[in-house]
Amino acid sequence: MVRQGNIDNPPKPPLVPGFECCGIVESVGEKTKGFEIGDRVMAFVNYNAWAEVVCTPVDFVYKMPDEMTFPEAAAFSLNFVAAYMMLFEVANLREGMSVLVHSAGGGVGQAVAQLCATVPKVTVFGIASCFKHSAIKDSVTHLFDRNIDFMQEVKKISPDGVDIVLDCLSGENTGKCLSLLKPLGTYILYGASNTVTGETKSFFSFAKSWWQVEKVNPIKLYEENKVIAGFSLLNLLFKQGGCSLVKKVMDKLLCLYAQKKIRPVVDSLWALEEVKEAMQRIHDRGNIGKLILDVEKSPTPLMASDSTETSEAGEEEEEPEGDNDNKERMPFIH
């Protein structure tokens, strides 16, 4: 969405994308307390995270647990904080409730599934592309193909509907999801990936998505006892002063991680030079969990059938040696 400018007030290029990272502290400000050079940390960043060196205010930085790997840390902050705050701060998830989550195979979707498992008797309805089902079927209670009429399938199992809907798609899904809510149920929109189609920003796609959104009548909400909410962790952090609240949530999440109740799902590792291919994988909905840009990873050599890189002299370059090139793409963490 940032790449195509499908956000409010998109920054003017050139810019370095990325909102989260992890690494080792290289230097600290004079008045900075709680961190030392050499600490392993993860951090939120208001852009500029896809880089070898990142600078961010201390309020956005957290120490990594000793047992947490760097790929896990890079995949932890945004996904789990967003999932936790939507479930517990906005929707007030409690025992016995039901949750419908779109893009169940993505990073946030998998975080939602794991957090729901920490509450007794929570039913999770997941919607994902069919080819992801075998990999994620154990993380949700019921799993549906994104290309079928999920409303009818959910109502077969739960005729009264669901208590919470988490929607990162928008568009025509909005009206369907609202109709699935039980009385006192909560619908939360936290993205609009249906507006991202093709290589560049498309006014037609944006307009189509907006037009498909059912226009909400406040009186109808009042009569049906339904709640509609929006959630943007980035705006909460960088525009609305939500650092202290996010820190409390991170503390709770790190406790859950220490208890081995949650663990980030990493789809694959990519070199910075491979960012185009990595973004295409997300665009094609091919990932299960998070894609990580690893600044220490060398690009995976192309196979001879794909392409032949040549040097200026016209000779074929030899593949570089070392373990970096053998880092697996997928799956990295099961």
Side-chain angles (χ1 to χ4, degrees), residues 14-189:
L15 73 125
V16 178
F19 299 103
E20 63 182 326
C21 63
C22 66
I24 299 172
V25 175
E26 190 172 273
S27 65
V28 296
E30 292 182 4
K31 298 180 180 179
T32 300
K33 297 180 180 179
F35 295 94
E36 298 178 353
I37 293 174
D39 283 347
R40 298 182 341 131
V41 297
M42 47 190 169
F44 294 110
V45 191
N46 193 10
Y47 292 100
N48 300 307
W50 294 0
E52 293 175 311
V53 179
V54 172
C55 182
T56 193
V58 68
D59 290 341
F60 300 143
V61 184
Y62 308 89
K63 287 186 178 179
M64 289 170 50
D66 291 340
E67 63 274 21
M68 183 179 281
T69 66
F70 281 118
E72 284 184 321
F76 188 84
S77 305
L78 273 177
N79 288 349
F80 274 99
V81 170
Y84 187 98
M85 295 190 77
M86 287 191 291
L87 288 172
F88 297 104
E89 301 287 342
V90 181
N92 193 22
L93 177 66
R94 301 182 302 282
E95 180 177 350
M97 295 179 76
S98 54
V99 179
L100 172 70
V101 57
H102 286 277
S103 298
V108 175
Q110 285 295 287
V112 166
Q114 291 183 34
L115 289 169
C116 285
T118 67
V119 180
K121 301 178 182 178
V122 170
T123 301
V124 180
F125 297 90
I127 301 172
S129 300
C130 192
F131 70 90
K132 299 183 182 183
H133 286 197
S134 61
I136 67 173
K137 65 181 187 297
D138 294 334
S139 65
V140 298
T141 316
H142 305 285
L143 190 56
F144 308 114
D145 183 358
R146 63 185 297 268
N147 294 314
I148 68 167
D149 184 359
F150 64 86
M151 284 183 58
Q152 297 303 318
E153 297 301 317
V154 171
K155 286 187 175 181
K156 288 178 184 176
I157 300 168
S158 178
D160 294 333
V162 299
D163 296 293
I164 300 169
V165 173
L166 303 179
D167 182 12
C168 60
L169 303 177
S170 189
E172 61 181 339
N173 286 293
T174 301
K176 293 179 180 180
C177 294
L178 281 173
S179 67
L180 275 176
L181 282 182
K182 293 180 180 179
L184 302 183
T186 302
Y187 165 88
I188 305 175
L189 180 69

Side-chain angles (χ1 to χ4, degrees), residues 217-230:
N217 183 342
I219 300 300
K220 191 175 180 181
L221 288 178
Y222 148 73
E223 292 174 344
E224 297 182 353
N225 283 303
K226 293 182 178 181
V227 179
I228 294 181

Side-chain angles (χ1 to χ4, degrees), residues 186-298:
T186 302
Y187 165 88
I188 305 175
L189 180 69
Y190 68 100
S193 61
N194 275 344
T195 65
V196 182
T197 58
E199 289 298 310
T200 58
K201 183 177 181 178
S202 168
F203 175 78
F204 176 77
S205 296
F206 192 84
K208 179 183 176 184
S209 181
W210 179 86
W211 181 257
Q212 288 175 333
V213 174
E214 181 177 316
K215 305 308 176 279
V216 177
N217 183 342
I219 300 300
K220 191 175 180 181
L221 288 178
Y222 148 73
E223 292 174 344
E224 297 182 353
N225 283 303
K226 293 182 178 181
V227 179
I228 294 181
F231 182 78
S232 168
L233 177 56
L234 298 177
N235 283 346
L236 184 66
L237 272 172
F238 302 125
K239 297 180 180 180
Q240 299 165 342
C243 283
S244 58
L245 178 57
V246 170
K247 186 180 186 310
K248 292 177 183 177
V249 170
M250 277 291 286
D251 290 342
K252 294 176 182 177
L253 289 169
L254 290 173
C255 286
L256 290 173
Y257 179 85
Q259 296 166 10
K260 302 188 184 308
K261 292 183 178 180
I262 61 174
R263 185 185 186 189
V265 177
V266 177
D267 175 83
S268 46
L269 298 176
W270 304 75
L272 286 178
E273 295 89 342
E274 298 171 321
V275 66
K276 178 182 177 182
E277 292 80 5
M279 291 200 73
Q280 188 64 48
R281 180 167 173 79
I282 299 175
H283 195 88
D284 295 339
R285 303 180 189 274
N287 59 300
I288 298 174
K290 199 86 163 185
L291 279 75
I292 304 298
L293 293 177
D294 184 349
V295 297
E296 294 185 343
K297 182 183 182 302
S298 299

